[in-house]
Amino acid sequence: MKSLKTLRLSAHILFLALLSPFSFAEGNNTPFPVSGEQINFQPPSGWKLAWMEGSANGTYLAEYIPEHESIDSWREGYLAIERYEYPSNEILKELQMRKVRVADIGLIQYINNAKKVCGINHTSMSQRTNVFNGLYFAVGGGYCNQHDSIAPFGEGAFVAFAEGKRFTFRIQYGWRPKSVAEQNTNLPWRITQEKAKEYLESIKAMSLCGGDDQPACKVSYVR
């Protein structure tokens, strides 16, 4: 088992190299075609592409929500697909030397950041790794019971980091209770078993596409 010190140091290295804030090349929220390796997925029925920014050839973020909702105030559901460049070969060698994977550390850092923002109101899910469709995933999530104007009854999420050949990907499904009654049911995550299964099965069905020796992508980033 890897030591906590090793995981913390590796998470810090990767955060500095990969997950620190960056400026998207294209930030006007206009969908654009993406080239190269991608995640092949199917958004839930009745959902729309609500926001997109980034670079067609590099990092990008695409966000989906139910058709009748707004990206600024969604409640029923949320899906984010984000593509990252791998860190430098030097950083990758450092991580390999410490016997940790990019996806694992990406998830650990994401959960740590969520805990920092939410504080004592954050409850973490167990973190697991698996291979689906030949793609290595680190999957976790949690629920923040902190009240604010954006999510007055809290917010939950399943988060997965996946390691492609050319890029690393973050996949996130989110949900927000719409009332006190919903906040106090389906504890501790405030999501029905049926909806949780739908989101997790969606993640498990995702695969790589668009890269060298990979199938053509079925997903297209259009409204």
Side-chain angles (χ1 to χ4, degrees):
M1 186 174 182
K2 303 176 184 65
S3 71
L4 184 59
K5 181 178 180 181
T6 296
L7 289 174
R8 283 176 175 169
L9 179 58
S10 300
H12 178 68
I13 291 171
L14 186 61
F15 179 72
L16 293 177
L18 177 65
L19 300 180
S20 56
F22 57 88
S23 297
F24 284 109
E26 302 168 21
N28 60 5
N29 187 28
T30 301
F32 51 87
V34 173
S35 60
E37 184 178 69
Q38 304 165 51
I39 287 287
N40 222 8
F41 68 99
Q42 180 62 48
S45 178
W47 286 31
K48 64 182 178 182
L49 176 59
W51 185 269
M52 189 172 186
E53 58 185 347
S55 167
N57 300 311
T59 56
Y60 67 82
L61 169 66
E63 297 176 302
Y64 293 81
I65 56 174
E67 185 66 40
H68 61 279
E69 293 205 293
S70 166
I71 192 62
D72 297 320
S73 59
W74 60 267
R75 290 288 180 272
E76 291 185 13
Y78 168 87
L79 169 63
I81 304 291
E82 190 163 11
R83 184 171 77 176
Y84 298 96
E85 298 272 3
Y86 271 109
S88 67
N89 289 334
E90 181 181 358
I91 295 297
L92 289 176
K93 288 179 181 179
E94 178 75 14
L95 295 177
Q96 291 169 359
M97 183 182 69
R98 299 178 184 279
K99 298 182 180 180
V100 293
R101 301 191 64 148
V102 171
D104 299 344
I105 300 304
L107 178 62
I108 290 170
Q109 187 62 53
Y110 185 93
I111 298 300
N112 286 344
N113 287 344
K115 289 178 179 178
K116 185 181 297 184
V117 172
C118 190
I120 62 173
N121 295 308
H122 186 271
T123 304
S124 298
M125 297 178 182
S126 60
Q127 301 174 26
R128 301 186 179 188
T129 62
N130 214 324
V131 177
F132 304 114
N133 304 310
L135 185 58
Y136 181 88
F137 284 89
V139 184
Y143 186 82
C144 178
N145 201 32
Q146 180 171 290
H147 299 193
D148 59 32
S149 59
I150 297 176
F153 306 107
E155 180 176 334
F158 292 128
V159 183
F161 280 80
E163 294 182 2
K165 296 179 180 179
R166 174 69 178 81
F167 296 97
T168 299
F169 301 88
R170 176 178 65 89
I171 302 107
Q172 179 175 334
Y173 273 104
W175 60 91
R176 294 170 176 167
K178 293 180 285 186
S179 65
V180 173
E182 287 190 6
Q183 185 183 26
N184 292 325
T185 56
N186 298 304
L187 301 178
W189 313 122
R190 283 79 168 184
I191 185 173
T192 65
Q193 290 185 356
E194 294 78 12
K195 185 60 67 174
K197 181 178 180 181
E198 176 188 338
Y199 289 166
L200 291 173
E201 289 298 321
S202 172
I203 293 173
K204 289 168 60 177
M206 294 181 184
S207 60
L208 293 174
C209 66
D212 295 338
D213 301 319
Q214 294 171 354
C217 295
K218 297 179 181 178
V219 63
S220 59
Y221 294 99
V222 296
R223 285 203 177 97

